[in-house]
Amino acid sequence: MIEFVNFYLFPALAIGSIYALGAVGISMIFGILRFAHFAHGDLMTLGTYGVLAMAAIVPVNPLLLIPFGMALTIVSALLVDRYFYKPLRELPTIYTVISSFGIALVFRSIVQLVWGSQNQVFSTGVKPPLVLFDTFRVSVLHLQAVISTAIIAVLLHYFLTVTRTGRSMRAVADDPELAEVSGLDTAKVIRWTWIIGAALAAIAGTFAALNTSAHPNLGWNLLMPMFAAAILGGIGKPMGAMAGGFIIGLAEELSSYHWIGDDALISPSYKTAVAFVLMIGLLIFRPQGLFKGRLL
């Protein structure tokens, strides 16, 4: 039991937090702009390297520098939407989807050009874990990731349900034509969609890099699990996407636990396939996701 909690449950919640934060942006962009944003993972990478660059200048805890990564991703997302995605909105969705693949390559190339293609870490050395109840050991980073995600979930729920902009975003997600006819500022809604999605992508990327290392393919490697989380929670439903992220994270990590005897259910090297299996199964049997509903 102790081994299960220390080496599987806490890490699963941490990786689930990363998936959850990334999946929110994917879900909101699809719900409001009606296209699958395949550049979201590389947007995450760009924000991570923004934090990494500031960490080389300002010797403080990298988590305190996340606002710099958020600013970089927000500006990048708004510029890309203005000059690349917006001219394609009146065309079939496939044009925007293909364009997002191109933007992903552009972001990745910028990272490689500026920072190189080698792995980079925020800090070196081994940090002692927290000991809870003299029994359980949890990484400080994992605890920070889970708590931060929980706080963000509460704030996002409040924003979507209480504020005028949040309610406008839900209305546009439900029926964009009716929302525009009703006089809602759809351009403002789109801007806020990118702001929220890009900001959360930077946070997710930073936690992912702190957990392992930063490299140009960081976000791309996390893209499919994040899409699986968004689909699991119900496309266009941010709270569902967050729940889906935790479910995917738990499923991946717990699938490699030795439930019976000394053999794991599947080899740890194949645990990322769990997200693909869940995503394909949901697309076949329940394409609306587990938490069908509006943008809430």
Side-chain angles (χ1 to χ4, degrees), residues 27-69:
S27 183
M28 292 181 68
I29 291 168
F30 194 98
I32 292 175
L33 295 171
R34 299 295 196 271
F35 80 97
H37 190 226
F38 283 96
H40 206 73
D42 291 280
L43 185 65
M44 176 189 296
T45 304
L46 189 64
T48 302
Y49 274 86
V51 177
L52 187 66
M54 287 305 302
I57 301 172
V58 184
V60 297
N61 189 317
L63 295 180
L64 299 177
L65 302 175
I66 286 180
F68 292 98

Side-chain angles (χ1 to χ4, degrees), residues 148-172:
S148 298
T149 303
I151 294 172
I152 289 170
V154 173
L155 294 175
L156 182 61
H157 180 74
Y158 177 85
F159 176 81
L160 291 174
T161 56
V162 176
T163 68
R164 182 176 181 179
T165 301
R167 292 196 296 267
S168 296
M169 294 174 73
R170 293 164 55 197
V172 172

Side-chain angles (χ1 to χ4, degrees), residues 176-220:
E177 290 79 13
L178 180 60
E180 190 168 7
V181 170
S182 301
L184 293 179
D185 188 350
T186 55
K188 180 181 178 181
V189 167
I190 290 172
R191 284 196 302 272
W192 272 102
T193 301
W194 286 113
I195 289 171
I196 294 172
L200 296 186
I203 298 172
T206 302
F207 276 121
L210 285 168
N211 194 41
T212 53
S213 63
H215 54 88
N217 289 322
L218 174 69
W220 178 256

Side-chain angles (χ1 to χ4, degrees), residues 131-137:
V131 180
L132 304 177
F133 309 111
D134 294 325
T135 303
F136 302 113
R137 297 176 180 271

